[in-house]
């Protein structure tokens, strides 16, 4: 599927009027907290790797972590 730039469809329970719904935000917060084992409000490299393993079934490539940190600080 090719993204349609400027497309503003609403995805039920996720996006309404171009904004994430409260239900979606709560789900993201729960996912984040599940992998923030030390509760410091950020993911360490190991916590990010655990999330990646859960979602993808494989360890994260260290280059992905480096690039993610570079892009999102």
């Amino acid at each position: 599927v090719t993204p349609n730039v400027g497309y503003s469809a609403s995805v039920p329970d996720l996006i309404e009027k171009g904004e994430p719904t409260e239900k979606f935000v709560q789900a993201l917060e729960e996912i984040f907290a599940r992998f923030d084992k030390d509760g410091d409000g950020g993911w360490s490299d190991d916590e990010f790797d655990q999330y990646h393993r859960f979602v993808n079934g494989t360890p994260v490539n260290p280059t992905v972590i480096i690039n993610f940190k570079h892009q999102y600080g």
Side-chain angles (χ1 to χ4, degrees):
V1 174
T2 303
N4 186 352
V5 176
Y7 186 69
S8 60
S10 178
V11 178
D13 296 328
L14 300 179
I15 306 294
E16 289 179 359
K17 299 179 183 175
E19 297 293 326
T21 64
E22 183 63 28
K23 186 175 183 177
F24 186 39
V25 170
Q26 287 174 343
L28 292 174
E29 289 172 345
E30 288 175 23
I31 291 166
F32 182 86
R34 178 178 181 174
F35 293 94
D36 183 20
K37 299 296 185 187
D38 59 9
D40 70 351
W43 280 349
S44 67
D45 293 358
D46 183 58
E47 290 166 333
F48 185 79
D49 181 61
Q50 292 303 311
Y51 166 78
H52 191 277
R53 288 172 188 262
F54 180 80
V55 171
N56 299 297
T58 61
V60 68
N61 182 315
T63 303
V64 170
I65 293 175
I66 291 168
N67 291 339
F68 189 84
K69 286 179 179 180
H70 179 71
Q71 186 166 353
Y72 299 104

